[in-house]
Amino acid sequence: MDQTFDRRSALKAIGLSAGSIAAFSCSDREEAARLQGANATTPADLDWGKAPCRFCGTGCGVEVGVKDGQVLAVRGDVKSPVNKGLLCVKGYHLPSFLTGKDRLTRPLRRQADGSFQPITWEAALDEIAQRFQSTLEESGPEAVAVYGSGQWTVFDGYAALKWVKGGMKSNNLDPNARLCMASAVMGFMTQFQSDEPMGCYEDFEAGDDFVLWGNNMAEMHPVLFSRILERKRQKPSTRIVDMGTRRTPTTEYADLYVEFRPGSDLAIANGILHLLVKNKKLDQAFIEDNIVFRRGIEDLEKIGYGCYGDQAERYTFKDEAKEATFDDFVAFLEEYTPEKVEAISGVPAAQVRSLAEIYGDRRRGTVSLWCMGVNQHTRGTWMNNLITDLHLVTGKISRPGNNPFSLTGQPSACGTVREVGTLSNRLPADMVVTNEEHRKKAEKIWGLPEGTINPKPGYHAVDMFRALSRGDIQTMWIQVTNPWVSMPNLERFERSPNDGRFIVVSDIYPTPTTAVADLILPSAAWVEREGVFGNTERRTQQWNQLVPPPGEAKEDAWQIIQVAKRMGMGHLFPWPENDWHEPMFEEYRSFTLGAGKDLGSYQHLKQARGLIWPVVDGKETPYRYAAGIDPYVKKKEGVHFYKAKGYGERAAVWLRPYHPPAEEPDEAFPFWLCTGRVLEHWHTGSMTRRIRELHQAVPKAYVEINRADAKQLGIQNGDVVKLASRRGEIELEAVIDGRGQTPRGSVFVPFFDESRLINKLTLDAMDSISKEPDYKKCAVRIELTT
């Protein structure tokens, strides 16, 4: 029986009162008010459980109100140190994403005529196991792949990691987080030889200056931005700097807005470093005690962009680090004068000097914040390096209110992807498959013979789908993500009938990705199953199953385990059928203990509102590498970058030059295109577009056009225009002077709308180190349709 239900009908059925739960939208409260009476339900009538929010990487705590097996309400968890009771508009509407009338509730198999018909779980799991097994036998481990997600729970990701790398001996495991935060991973790894930020959200109450590098926090991380605004309210001298390629709602709150040409942020960062050196604003004692200098390959022809020539099929460039000196650093920066930076970026030299004054003022705490604008960049790792360089050379790091802080977009991109290691080259706790000792440690914990784990990294995400298109990958399982909306240069990934590939997709709703699948599996979502997420500030959060999933939906980890058992790999999952979550977590946790990545115990997590690792003797670590705070630091004061064994336990300052973007506007395609998100929708919209209030607020994608450009082209607000690149074209309504304002020669389009696929236009150029695609800059033209 289909157990999906209409939320408004459920509210009527129980007569929920207007004043009972603050989480409801205005229309919900108005309707609930009309239903008050003798049978009105109060918060006391609901069973409440804790959980992290299902959407972004902030990790807001919510309390979930349940009655009769249904989620009827949420409210911000006042006990959560993340959000302290506040939620954004998406968080307040969490219950509705579970109740869409088109929830997937049964396994579906594609038929010869292209239609889908229900089949049993037994038949579905048997076929998946048979397909993977036969592909392994006939074509080897490079022909199978699993494409996962930063929305996977720790259980899902760990199950996939063990099955793919320990069972099938393949490293073709990569997540959609490759598309959003891989550059941040490689930034931290190349500088500290350990991933993830050293600071925490307490920086928002301690900082004096907040520099946002291409980061529209007011819409993308509104709860965290509210903490900055509260800091500014309490301390009016607090300053917000908004650096971007277009004005956004964040700009309205900024003390300084710095607008730059797309891709020129490399020059700006080097210009700031140039001035810090020239004006003697470096912390020389900190540098001498804690820093080494490095530089890599800088030749553009050798590096490329991952999308032209042979690199358009497989991009395997590998950087080579070499030692440098402080004198090399000074000489390298000489050319990045404020005037040269202005010529490259369009940023006035005076603003470059103002930025240098902010970073160079030792009396004030500085927090740098960034997200997709820096990470989705053909030199994203370089930009991560340069921002962190600003903190290292000034000593503004690992102290409250003084840190580089990368923000994430998915609820467990950190906890599952980065910490569990569901990337094509990684293992848990910063370990990699290319390191023999790391492989041996994993094999020992997993009870596998030495030599089981393949030392060759697998395909990263973009190359994985290129290999699928070529037929080199023959069998793929996609879970909890929607690549036929989110991949760049989408046209090249279209499937043809009888192409010989077999694709399994696990999801909660029909999407363009399920539409190309051969077999669709219905997944349990959020509190319909037990789970663990890890958020941006290293906070691990656990929740219990609070309601049953609809129909026959099952959690993703269970699906993987069942297939593994059918392939004779049940030894990888030796726990009781109905009691495996805690022992699985504790096995995974064993990788982290003693490695500076120590997670709290499962029982501790069940009681806590999350724990910030490393957790040693039950105590959290808000600031990594800091004496007196981090238990791994034995010094009495200062910092100790103890994870960076290859640098003599020092952090690396990297010399990274300016390189131009992979594609720039020209006569045929005279406009820059930037893509991104909006407040109301999350990623590809498969959940938020099914929430009535959010869909009504922003029902479709649009293109933001500068008023002067629109006038020159004869375009009025609301006109339908054709947007075209060298790869594809779509039609969109024009928005002039909306919530965002683009400069002349630039347009912006959000990517949440599956009926208007902006990624048909984007370029599949990538960062040379992280292999993360650049969604922020390519060339397009605009045509007024008739």
Side-chain angles (χ1 to χ4, degrees):
M1 178 179 176
D2 189 342
Q3 297 178 22
T4 57
F5 67 99
D6 179 83
R7 177 166 170 256
R8 187 167 299 281
S9 298
L11 294 178
K12 290 179 179 179
I14 65 169
L16 197 57
S17 65
S20 60
I21 300 160
F24 287 155
S25 67
C26 293
S27 59
D28 286 328
R29 289 197 296 267
E30 290 166 2
E31 176 159 348
R34 294 194 295 270
L35 299 175
Q36 287 190 27
N39 297 321
T41 298
T42 70
D45 296 315
L46 301 179
D47 292 324
W48 294 90
K50 70 175 178 74
C53 179
R54 174 58 180 80
F55 292 121
C56 82
T58 299
C60 290
V62 299
E63 290 187 287
V64 184
V66 174
K67 186 172 183 179
D68 297 331
Q70 299 174 354
V71 174
L72 298 176
V74 297
R75 61 190 179 194
D77 188 350
V78 296
K79 295 180 181 179
S80 169
V82 173
N83 54 310
K84 305 174 184 179
L86 181 65
L87 295 174
C88 78
V89 66
K90 293 185 290 294
Y92 282 127
H93 287 90
L94 275 164
S96 295
F97 97 81
L98 297 172
T99 61
K101 295 178 181 177
D102 58 343
R103 272 294 296 266
L104 296 169
T105 59
R106 299 176 66 183
L108 301 172
R109 181 66 168 90
R110 183 184 295 278
Q111 305 300 301
D113 63 0
S115 66
F116 287 93
Q117 294 297 323
I119 61 172
T120 66
W121 268 107
E122 287 297 314
L125 296 169
D126 286 347
E127 181 168 13
I128 296 169
Q130 184 275 323
R131 289 281 184 165
F132 273 96
Q133 190 65 56
S134 62
T135 302
L136 286 170
E137 292 170 358
E138 295 169 10
S139 303
E142 287 201 0
V144 297
V146 173
Y147 186 60
S149 175
Q151 300 158 62
W152 259 346
T153 68
V154 165
F155 302 116
D156 305 330
Y158 190 68
L161 183 80
K162 282 194 83 173
W163 175 51
V164 176
K165 300 193 176 190
M168 294 194 291
K169 303 180 183 179
S170 172
N171 286 319
N172 286 341
L173 170 68
D174 218 50
N176 64 357
R178 176 75 69 175
L179 313 182
C180 62
M181 53 87 241
S183 296
V185 172
M186 294 312 300
F188 286 117
M189 292 299 296
T190 53
Q191 295 190 276
F192 305 99
Q193 297 190 332
S194 181
D195 186 23
E196 298 199 44
M198 55 290 303
C200 65
Y201 294 161
E202 292 177 13
D203 283 330
F204 299 129
E205 284 75 51
D208 299 301
D209 296 317
F210 298 90
V211 184
L212 280 55
W213 289 81
N215 182 16
N216 178 15
M217 279 188 77
E219 288 196 271
M220 304 305 104
H221 296 88
V223 171
L224 298 183
F225 193 60
S226 74
R227 291 178 64 163
I228 296 176
L229 296 181
E230 177 62 13
R231 168 68 168 170
K232 188 172 178 63
R233 186 188 69 82
Q234 293 187 12
K235 187 178 181 182
S237 62
T238 301
R239 297 179 296 193
I240 299 171
V241 179
D242 178 28
M243 301 178 65
T245 58
R246 62 188 261 269
R247 289 180 175 269
T248 68
T250 302
T251 313
E252 299 175 17
Y253 300 94
D255 297 276
L256 174 64
Y257 172 58
V258 180
E259 187 170 282
F260 58 91
R261 295 188 185 114
S264 65
D265 41 3
L266 290 157
I268 298 168
N270 278 318
I272 299 169
L273 288 165
H274 167 95
L275 288 170
L276 292 173
V277 171
K278 180 180 178 181
N279 298 333
K280 296 181 170 55
K281 295 294 185 180
L282 306 183
D283 188 333
Q284 290 292 162
F286 185 90
I287 291 171
E288 290 172 7
D289 289 345
N290 300 291
I291 303 301
V292 297
F293 292 87
R294 293 290 186 270
R295 66 193 308 172
I297 297 172
E298 298 168 9
D299 187 328
L300 177 56
E301 290 189 7
K302 290 182 179 179
I303 299 170
Y305 292 107
C307 60
Y308 301 124
D310 292 342
Q311 292 180 348
E313 285 302 324
R314 188 159 192 182
Y315 190 33
T316 58
F317 169 82
K318 185 175 181 180
D319 198 20
E320 296 176 5
K322 61 181 181 181
E323 293 185 1
T325 66
F326 177 76
D327 289 341
D328 294 332
F329 176 67
V330 173
F332 170 81
L333 293 170
E334 283 182 1
E335 67 174 296
Y336 291 99
T337 64
E339 291 71 27
K340 178 170 181 175
V341 172
E342 179 175 355
I344 294 172
S345 68
V347 175
Q351 286 193 333
V352 180
R353 293 188 176 94
S354 294
L355 290 166
E357 289 173 5
I358 289 170
Y359 280 100
D361 190 343
R362 297 190 192 181
R363 299 166 300 177
R364 297 173 63 87
T366 304
V367 180
S368 298
L369 296 149
W370 68 96
C371 198
M372 299 306 104
V374 165
N375 293 337
Q376 293 176 337
H377 193 311
T378 52
R379 298 295 179 262
T381 300
W382 289 12
M383 267 309 302
N384 274 266
N385 290 157
L386 291 176
I387 293 171
T388 301
D389 284 354
L390 293 169
H391 288 266
L392 287 170
V393 300
T394 57
K396 290 187 169 186
I397 195 165
S398 292
R399 292 188 283 131
N402 272 305
N403 279 300
F405 207 128
S406 69
L407 300 175
T408 47
Q410 297 188 83
S412 204
C414 291
T416 302
V417 173
R418 299 164 76 162
E419 293 164 25
V420 173
T422 60
L423 292 138
S424 59
N425 66 322
R426 285 170 73 91
L427 293 164
D430 286 338
M431 299 198 305
V432 292
V433 299
T434 53
N435 184 302
E436 183 178 7
E437 292 305 311
H438 293 177
R439 295 195 304 274
K440 286 182 178 179
K441 180 176 180 178
E443 289 160 350
K444 182 178 180 180
I445 290 173
W446 289 346
L448 300 173
E450 286 189 7
T452 298
I453 297 174
N454 190 334
K456 180 182 177 182
Y459 290 110
H460 57 79
V462 175
D463 276 2
M464 181 181 286
F465 280 87
R466 291 171 174 177
L468 180 70
S469 295
R470 292 193 304 269
D472 292 345
I473 288 178
Q474 298 165 19
T475 302
M476 177 186 281
W477 193 346
I478 299 166
Q479 285 196 334
V480 205
T481 187
N482 192 9
W484 264 265
V485 175
S486 61
M487 292 297 293
N489 194 6
L490 265 176
E491 297 281 15
R492 73 173 294 176
F493 301 125
E494 287 188 358
R495 289 197 71 185
S496 58
N498 305 313
D499 61 8
R501 270 68 102 194
F502 187 76
I503 298 176
V504 184
V505 177
S506 299
D507 212 325
I508 64 174
Y509 287 113
T511 68
T513 301
T514 64
V516 303
D518 297 288
L519 182 58
I520 302 169
L521 301 181
S523 292
W526 194 39
V527 295
E528 296 168 353
R529 42 80 56 89
E530 189 170 341
V532 173
F533 282 160
N535 79 346
T536 301
E537 65 166 349
R538 297 175 282 114
R539 182 178 298 277
T540 311
Q541 302 187 80
Q542 185 274 350
W543 74 93
N544 296 326
Q545 181 180 4
L546 301 178
V547 295
E552 300 175 17
K554 304 287 187 182
E555 69 175 287
D556 298 285
W558 179 89
Q559 299 172 22
I560 292 168
I561 292 169
Q562 295 305 311
V563 169
K565 288 180 176 180
R566 283 165 168 77
M567 295 175 67
M569 301 173 188
H571 59 284
L572 295 172
F573 307 99
W575 309 295
E577 183 75 22
N578 297 315
D579 187 24
W580 50 268
H581 290 91
E582 183 169 354
M584 176 188 278
F585 183 86
E586 291 298 334
E587 179 186 279
Y588 159 59
R589 177 175 172 247
S590 69
F591 280 94
T592 72
L593 299 179
K597 312 279 284 193
D598 313 52
L599 297 177
S601 71
Y602 200 67
Q603 285 301 312
H604 195 177
L605 288 171
K606 292 189 79 163
Q607 301 303 316
R609 258 48 177 193
L611 297 170
I612 297 177
W613 60 259
V615 180
V616 178
D617 296 329
K619 184 179 179 181
E620 300 174 78
T621 304
Y623 292 95
R624 297 176 80 189
Y625 313 127
I629 299 175
D630 187 332
Y632 283 89
V633 176
K634 305 308 178 185
K635 295 169 63 174
K636 291 184 178 180
E637 60 182 22
V639 301
H640 180 199
F641 299 114
Y642 55 86
K643 291 286 289 183
K645 305 296 185 185
Y647 301 145
E649 299 189 359
R650 294 168 173 242
V653 164
W654 283 81
L655 287 60
R656 300 296 197 186
Y658 165 73
H659 278 182
E663 181 176 86
E664 299 187 66
D666 56 19
E667 186 175 347
F669 298 91
F671 289 87
W672 287 107
L673 167 66
C674 177
T675 69
R677 292 179 287 165
V678 295
L679 171 66
E680 293 82 359
H681 289 293
W682 193 72
H683 283 211
T684 65
S686 59
M687 291 183 288
T688 51
R689 293 185 76 214
R690 287 172 169 86
I691 299 173
R692 189 196 61 191
E693 293 85 356
L694 300 181
H695 178 64
Q696 288 178 342
V698 186
K700 57 188 175 183
Y702 52 85
V703 55
E704 289 178 0
I705 303 176
N706 177 272
R707 176 169 289 278
D709 288 333
K711 182 177 180 181
Q712 183 176 341
L713 294 169
I715 296 170
Q716 302 292 320
N717 197 54
D719 283 349
V720 176
V721 300
K722 180 189 293 184
L723 207 61
S725 74
R726 290 177 173 85
R727 292 155 293 282
E729 60 184 41
I730 59 171
E731 293 187 356
L732 298 156
E733 283 191 10
V735 171
I736 302 165
D737 293 335
R739 68 175 68 174
Q741 291 89 44
T742 59
R744 292 212 66 175
S746 182
V747 299
F748 171 84
V749 179
F751 71 91
F752 69 86
D753 189 347
E754 67 182 41
S755 63
R756 296 165 180 82
L757 294 172
I758 190 59
N759 281 320
K760 288 185 175 181
L761 280 63
T762 51
L763 179 67
D764 51 346
M766 285 174 273
D767 175 65
S768 58
I769 299 171
S770 71
K771 307 305 188 287
E772 178 170 342
D774 189 334
Y775 292 90
K776 300 300 182 183
K777 40 198 172 289
C778 69
V780 297
R781 64 169 178 261
I782 308 169
E783 300 173 10
L784 185 61
T785 61
T786 55

